[in-house]
C-alpha cells in the first residue's frame, strides 16, 4: 500500500504543480463569482441564480478537469517515458494504475472542494447558506467526476490522448442524456430502441448525478426545494464507485498485457 | 561455477508496426548469461536491438520467443525487482521534482524505510556529483545531469544487479570517466553491472565480459581478452636503417616512413624472428617490435562486415 500511496502522492504533486489545472480552476472560480453579479440582475431570485450558476460551473469545470486529469496524468507517464523508470521498480503494474487513479481522485477532491468553498462564500455574500441540498448536489458532482476520470483513464490505457479525451467526453455527453436517449428510442421504434438501450446499458448513467429537474419517487427534484434523500445519495455513490472500479479493473488488465516501447 | 544473475535465453521480439502490421524483428536471438560480480558489456551499433533486449529483461516488453530470468527468477518477479536497479535509455524523469524528491519517491517504491531514504538520497546525489543541483527541479537539468540522477535512482534500492542502458551517452569525456570509475566501484562493492553501449573504448577499460549484437542477433559472448587475443593481426617493427642496408622483406610486408623511423608491417604468419635476424645482419637498428592484436574496434568492424556479407 505504501507504494500505491507514493504513486498517488506523486500524481497529486504533479497536478498541483501543473499550470493548466490552475487556469481551469481559475475560470471555474470566475464563473461562480460571476453568479454574484448575474444574481443581482434578477429580481428576488439572487440566491436561486447563484446556486444554479455555481453548480453549473462546478459541473462543467469539474468534468473538463476530470477528463484533463484522467487523460493527461496517465498519458504523460507513457509519452515522457517515466514509466520505464517506474515499472521496473518492485511494484506491480496494477499498483501503478491504482496509485495514479487515487492521485487523480485526490486532485479532483481538492478542486471540487475549492469550487465548493467559493460557492459557499458567494452564497454567504448574499446572506444565504451553503445548505444540505447544495452540499448533496456538490457531492454528486464529485462522484460524477470520479466516474468520468476513471473512464478517461480506461481509454488512455490503450489510445492516444486526443482520442481518449474525445471518447471520455462522448461518454459524458451520452451518459448525462441516458433518460433522453431511452425516451428517444421508444419513439423511434423497436430496432432503434434496442440499439439505444444497449448503448445506455453500456455507458454509465451520469444523469443520476445531476438529478435537478428529474422525477425521483413521485416528486420533481430541485436543489431549491425538494432535493434527493440520503438513500438516493448512497445508492448513486455506490453506483459511481462500482462503475469506476470496473473500468479501472479493465484499465489494469490492459496495462498488464502492454508492451512499453 | 559462479552464480548467474541475469539470463537471456533465446530472446526474440518482433514488433508489428502500423496499419499493415509490418514486422520489425528488433531482436532475433539473444542468448547470454551474466555472472555475479562482473561488469558485463552489451555492445552493438545503433538499432541492433540492445534496448529492446534490456526491456525484455526488465519486464517492460514481453518477448515474442525465449525466456528472461533476473536473479534466478522468470521475469517479471517483484522479489527480483527489489534487488535490481535499472537506468532506461535517454532517461526522462518527473520534471517537476527536485532530485531529492525524486529519489525519495523511488526509495518508497523500492520499499526503503523513510528514515533511510533521506540519508541514502543525499549520499547518492553526492556520489553522482549533483550536490550543486539540489533543490532545482529536474526540468532544469541538462542531458548529462539527467543521466547522473538516473544512475542515482537505479542505486536507490541498494541493488545487487545494476542494468544501465547507454549510461555514457550525453556525457563529456570527464563525465564518462566518472561513470566508468563508478561502475568499477560498484563491482568492488560486490554488485553486478550490465550496461549497453556503442562506445568501444569505454568497454575495453571496464568490462569483464561482453556480448555483441548485430541486427538483432548475438554474434559472440565471452571475456573481452578471449574474444580479442584469438587473432594476431600483424607485427609492426620500427627500424632505423643507420649505415646499414635493408634486406629484402618477406612477401606481404609494407613499409612506411614515420618520425621515429621506418615502420615495417609484417602480416600475420610471417616468421618475425627470421626477418629481425636479417635486418640486424644488414646493419640496421631495431627500435621497437609491436604485435598488433585485434582491438575491440577491429572485432566490431569485422563482425559487422561478416554480418553484411551473410
Ligand atoms: N516500438 C517499436 N516499434 C517498432 N520498431 C521498434 C520499436 N522499438 C525499436 N524498434 C526497432 O528495433 C530495432 C532495435 O532497436 P533498439 O533495441 O532500440 O536498438 P539499440 O538499443 O541497439 O539502438 C531498431 O531497428 C528499431 O527501429
Ligand atoms: Mg538503445
Amino acid at each position: 500500500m505504501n507504494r500505491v500511496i507514493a504513486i498517488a502522492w506523486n500524481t497529486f504533486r504533479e497536478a498541483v504543480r501543473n499550470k493548466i489545472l490552475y487556469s481551469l480552476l481559475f475560470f471555474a472560480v470566475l464563473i461562480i463569482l460571476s453568479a454574484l453579479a448575474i444574481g443581482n440582475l434578477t429580481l428576488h431570485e439572487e440566491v436561486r441564480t447563484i446556486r444554479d450558476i455555481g453548480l453549473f460551473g462546478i459541473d462543467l469545470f469539474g468534468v473538463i478537469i476530470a477528463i484533463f486529469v484522467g487523460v493527461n496524468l496517465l498519458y504523460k507517464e507513457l509519452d515522457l517515458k517515466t514509466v520505464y523508470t517506474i515499472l521496473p521498480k518492485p511494484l506491480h503494474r496494477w499498483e501503478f494504475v491504482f496509485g495514479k487513479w487515487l492521485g487523480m481522485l485526490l486532485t479532483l477532491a481538492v478542486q471540487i472542494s475549492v469550487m465548493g468553498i467559493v460557492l459557499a462564500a458567494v452564497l454567504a455574500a448574499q446572506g444565504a447558506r451553503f445548505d444540505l441540498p447544495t452540499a448533496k448536489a456538490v457531492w454528486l458532482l464529485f462522484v460524477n467526476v470520479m466516474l468520468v476520470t476513471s473512464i478517461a483513464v480506461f481509454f488512455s490505457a490503450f489510445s492516444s490522448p486526443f482520442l481518449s479525451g474525445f471518447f471520455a467526453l462522448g461518454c459524458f455527453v451520452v451518459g448525462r442524456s441516458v433518460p433522453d436517449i431511452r425516451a428517444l428510442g421508444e419513439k423511434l421504434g423497436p430496432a432503434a430502441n434496442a440499439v439505444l438501450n444497449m448503448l445506455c446499458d453500456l455507458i454509465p448513467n451520469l444523469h443520476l448525478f445531476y438529478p435537478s429537474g428529474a422525477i425521483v419517487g413521485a416528486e420533481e427534484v430541485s436543489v431549491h426545494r425538494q432535493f434527493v434523500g440520503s438513500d438516493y445519495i448512497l445508492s448513486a455513490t455506490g453506483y459511481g464507485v462500482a462503475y469506476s472500479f470496473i473500468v479501472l479493473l479493465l484499465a489494469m488488465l490492459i496495462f498488464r498485457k502492454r508492451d512499453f516501447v | 561455477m559462479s552464480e548467474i544473475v541475469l539470463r537471456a535465453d533465446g530472446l526474440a521480439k518482433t514488433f508489428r508496426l502500423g496499419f499493415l502490421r509490418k514486422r520489425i524483428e528488433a531482436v532475433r536471438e539473444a542468448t547470454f548469461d551474466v555472472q555475479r560480480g562482473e561488469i558485463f558489456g552489451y555492445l552493438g551499433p545503433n538499432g541492433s536491438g540492445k534496448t529492446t533486449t534490456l526491456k525484455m529483461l526488465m519486464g517492460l516488453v514481453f518477448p515474442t520467443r525465449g525466456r528472461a530470468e533476473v536473479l534466478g527468477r522468470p521475469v517479471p518477479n517483484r522479489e527480483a525487482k527489489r534487488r535490481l536497479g535499472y537506468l532506461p535509455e535517454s532517461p526522462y524523469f518527473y520534471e517537476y521534482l527536485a532530485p531529492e524528491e525524486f529519489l525519495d519517491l523511488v526509495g518508497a517504491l523500492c520499499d526503503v524505510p523513510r528514515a533511510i531514504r533521506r540519508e541514502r538520497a543525499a549520499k547518492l546525489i553526492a556520489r553522482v556529483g549533483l550536490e550543486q543541483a539540489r533543490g532545482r527541479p529536474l526540468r532544469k537539468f541538462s542531458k548529462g545531469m539527467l543521466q547522473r540522477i538516473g544512475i542515482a535512482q537505479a542505486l536507490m534500492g541498494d541493488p545487487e544487479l545494476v542494468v544501465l542502458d547507454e549510461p555514457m551517452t550525453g556525457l563529456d569525456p570527464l563525465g564518462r570517466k566518472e561513470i566508468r570509475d563508478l561502475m568499477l566501484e560498484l563491482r568492488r562493492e560486490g554488485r553486478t553491472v550490465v550496461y549497453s553501449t556503442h562506445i568501444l573504448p569505454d568497454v575495453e577499460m571496464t568490462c569483464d565480459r561482453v556480448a555483441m549484437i548485430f541486427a538483432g542477433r548475438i554474434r559472440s559472448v565471452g571475456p573481452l581478452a578471449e574474444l580479442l587475443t584469438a587473432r594476431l593481426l600483424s607485427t609492426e617493427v620500427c627500424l632505423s636503417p643507420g649505415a646499414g642496408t635493408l634486406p629484402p622483406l618477406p612477401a606481404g610486408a609494407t613499409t612506411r616512413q614515420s618520425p621515429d623511423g621506418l615502420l615495417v608491417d609484417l602480416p600475420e604468419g610471417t616468421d618475425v624472428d627470421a626477418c629481425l635476424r636479417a635486418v640486424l645482419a644488414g646493419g640496421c637498428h631495431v627500435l621497437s617490435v609491436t604485435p598488433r592484436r585485434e582491438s575491440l574496434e577491429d572485432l566490431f568492424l569485422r563482425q559487422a562486415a561478416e554480418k553484411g556479407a551473410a
Side-chain angles (χ1 to χ4, degrees), chain A residues 97-115:
Chain A
V97 177
F98 191 48
K100 289 305 289 182
W101 182 79
L102 275 183
M104 293 171 189
L105 209 59
L106 181 60
T107 308
L108 292 172
V110 169
Q111 304 254 356
I112 297 274
S113 303
V114 169
M115 294 191 256

Side-chain angles (χ1 to χ4, degrees), chain B residues 50-51 89 165-166 196:
Chain B
K50 303 182 295 294
T51 298
E89 183 177 34
D165 196 353
E166 305 264 5
S196 77

Side-chain angles (χ1 to χ4, degrees), chain B residues 4 6 16 18 37 49 56 75-76 88 110 127 165 170 181 186 227 253 263 268 272 279 290 299 301:
Chain B
I4 288 167
L6 190 71
R16 299 281 184 161
M56 287 191 274
V75 172
C110 294
R127 188 166 184 181
D165 196 353
D181 290 346
L186 293 174
L227 292 180
L263 285 178
E268 182 193 0
V272 179
V279 166
T290 318
L299 177 65
L301 293 176

